[in-house]
Amino acid sequence: MRMISPFYIGSILINPPLLSAPMAGFTNLAYREILRQFGGVGLIATEMISARSFVHKEARGEEAPSRLWGIADEPRPLAVQIWDNQPETLAYFAERLVCDYQPSVIDLNFGCPAPAIAKNSASGSYLLKTPEKVGAIVECVVRAAGKIPVTAKIRLGWTRGTINVIDTAQAVESAGGAALTVHGRTAQDMYAGKADWDAIAAIKPYLKRIPLIGNGDIKSAAQAAEIFRKFPVDGVMIGRAGLEKPWIFRQISQLLRGEEMMSEPSLAEQRALLLQHFDLLVRQMGGEKAVILMRKYATCYSKGKYGARQFRTAVCAARDEPEFRKIVQELFPAGE
Ligand SMILES: Cc1cc2nc3c(=O)[nH]c(=O)nc-3n(C[C@H](O)[C@H](O)[C@H](O)COP(=O)(O)O)c2cc1C
């Protein structure tokens, strides 16, 4: 079996070589705190943050976007993901991040397929149509970020018929990018079908200097170990599975080190975790917002469990903090 080693993004050691994916609406400060509690994540990412919205808010003297909450003070390493299609806007935001927040890594979003981003804003995965524009953006942001490494997160291409991932990968590397993450789908795929890990692996020989991080559909520790065994990636990034099992990174890191793997938390422990997660959100955003936001997490935590539907319906109807806590105590699924 090949050695699975930590790797560097610029001067930042990614150890273990497991990254938690940026997920808009989910990977806020509270979730990042839950991940750190379990450990096993080499690099945690924020949600994607709009460079344009930062610039506009600043110009109007408004508070910075709420997605920046926590970033200044939380532990490192931390990757802040940003998006737009204008090199200058992204470069300006990167400069401000370097000055005011000092993240470990600045990650550029070239993968989001959501219509609001890709179609209406010609950003995210829309930029995959033009690898030279991706290169121009990376180059500009690398210059602005100084010593802070700049990475890119991409998909295989815009459509299955126009896969151009090698061109994009090379554009990122020659523009000074410090790592490349590839989600093994196209923009057109959205989340349908399966991530194509062969297509991710095919990029490796074309990268001379920078690490390759593969992403897509990893659901268990065994599957992550299998990915490392089969494909020449330096690291793997996990998104959705971490929302259902924030402890998955710890399990994978133990498995990779040949240590005994922690067992799944009991249902009582999972219920306590959900309540702790809720408390963190309440502290950060206030009860009203937390009750609404928690609907999504409660759905993730209860997925696949007996009684999950009834639980989710009740959680979505919860009107305030006490009611939410009561529902979790009484209705959190008691069986798989
Ligand atoms: C709800 C949700 C929000 C996401 N938001 C982002 C984002 O802000 N930036 C990004 O690059 N990718 C985003 N993604 C894509 C993930 O980072 C990841 O590439 C994708 O979920 C595949 O990995 P997985 O199968 O491990 O979940 C999002 C995915 C989901 C499900």
Side-chain angles (χ1 to χ4, degrees):
M1 180 157 167
R2 82 181 172 95
M3 276 287 289
I4 295 155
S5 343
F7 66 95
Y8 280 91
I9 295 181
S11 62
I12 308 294
L13 182 67
I14 309 301
N15 183 23
L18 307 173
L19 295 88
S20 113
M23 284 182 287
F26 285 93
T27 53
N28 53 31
L29 178 61
Y31 178 69
R32 300 195 294 268
E33 287 184 355
I34 294 284
L35 283 185
R36 280 195 196 95
Q37 180 176 306
F38 284 105
V41 198
L43 183 64
I44 298 184
T46 64
E47 310 168 78
M48 61 177 184
I49 307 173
S50 161
R52 201 163 298 205
S53 143
F54 177 87
V55 171
H56 286 168
K57 279 174 180 284
E58 194 182 56
R60 290 196 296 260
E62 293 172 12
E63 247 180 63
S66 62
R67 287 183 178 181
L68 283 163
W69 279 353
I71 292 174
D73 302 317
E74 71 187 288
R76 302 297 190 250
L78 176 72
V80 174
Q81 193 191 55
I82 65 177
W83 72 274
D84 197 78
N85 60 5
Q86 292 303 315
E88 303 74 24
T89 310
L90 286 160
Y92 178 75
F93 187 27
E95 254 173 46
R96 296 305 317 274
L97 283 172
V98 172
C99 245
D100 299 344
Y101 296 89
Q102 286 281 312
S104 321
V105 169
I106 294 176
D107 186 48
L108 291 165
N109 181 321
F110 299 113
C112 183
I117 310 293
K119 298 231 164 83
N120 306 349
S121 306
S123 300
S125 61
Y126 181 87
L127 294 163
L128 298 176
K129 293 179 174 189
T130 46
E132 63 283 2
K133 175 124 200 208
V134 169
I137 288 175
V138 173
E139 197 176 323
C140 202
V141 176
V142 165
R143 216 177 301 127
K147 289 203 177 80
I148 294 191
V150 175
T151 57
K153 182 164 178 283
I154 67 174
R155 288 186 173 222
L156 298 175
W158 177 247
T159 64
R160 285 271 150 191
T162 57
I163 286 182
N164 58 352
V165 68
I166 307 285
D167 292 342
T168 313
Q170 288 181 322
V172 169
E173 183 169 72
S174 22
L180 179 74
T181 303
V182 185
H183 175 190
R185 288 185 172 84
T186 66
Q188 182 187 44
D189 294 336
M190 299 295 278
Y191 289 89
K194 281 193 193 144
D196 183 347
W197 280 84
D198 287 315
I200 297 174
I203 302 163
K204 186 65 181 169
Y206 293 90
L207 295 178
K208 303 282 171 270
R209 181 180 59 80
I210 63 175
L212 175 65
I213 299 150
N215 166 242
D217 298 346
I218 295 178
K219 294 283 176 238
S220 69
Q223 209 186 344
E226 175 76 356
I227 291 275
F228 272 115
R229 197 179 61 74
K230 276 174 69 178
F231 300 105
V233 288
D234 299 284
V236 299
M237 178 180 275
I238 297 174
R240 289 166 293 178
L243 297 174
E244 288 166 33
K245 302 171 179 219
W247 53 88
I248 190 174
F249 295 95
R250 172 141 169 218
Q251 288 182 323
I252 302 172
S253 67
Q254 288 167 329
L255 189 62
L256 296 181
R257 284 199 301 260
E259 293 170 4
E260 194 184 333
M261 205 167 76
M262 72 173 271
S263 45
E264 297 285 298
S266 68
L267 288 167
E269 285 165 338
Q270 291 184 41
R271 184 179 56 204
L273 180 67
L274 199 161
L275 285 172
Q276 188 207 349
H277 195 154
F278 179 59
D279 287 341
L280 288 170
L281 276 176
V282 171
R283 209 183 62 213
Q284 286 157 24
M285 314 190 162
E288 209 174 307
K289 240 181 169 173
V291 168
I292 293 167
L293 263 180
M294 212 57 208
R295 291 175 185 167
K296 295 187 294 188
Y297 294 102
T299 301
C300 297
Y301 279 109
S302 61
K303 200 163 170 191
K305 297 185 172 70
Y306 183 77
R309 191 183 300 173
Q310 190 199 3
F311 174 64
R312 284 198 297 267
T313 308
V315 159
C316 289
R319 280 162 307 188
D320 53 27
E321 270 182 72
E323 197 176 348
F324 178 84
R325 285 182 216 283
K326 187 161 175 276
I327 290 165
V328 175
Q329 290 296 358
E330 288 174 4
L331 290 179
F332 187 76
E336 299 287 335

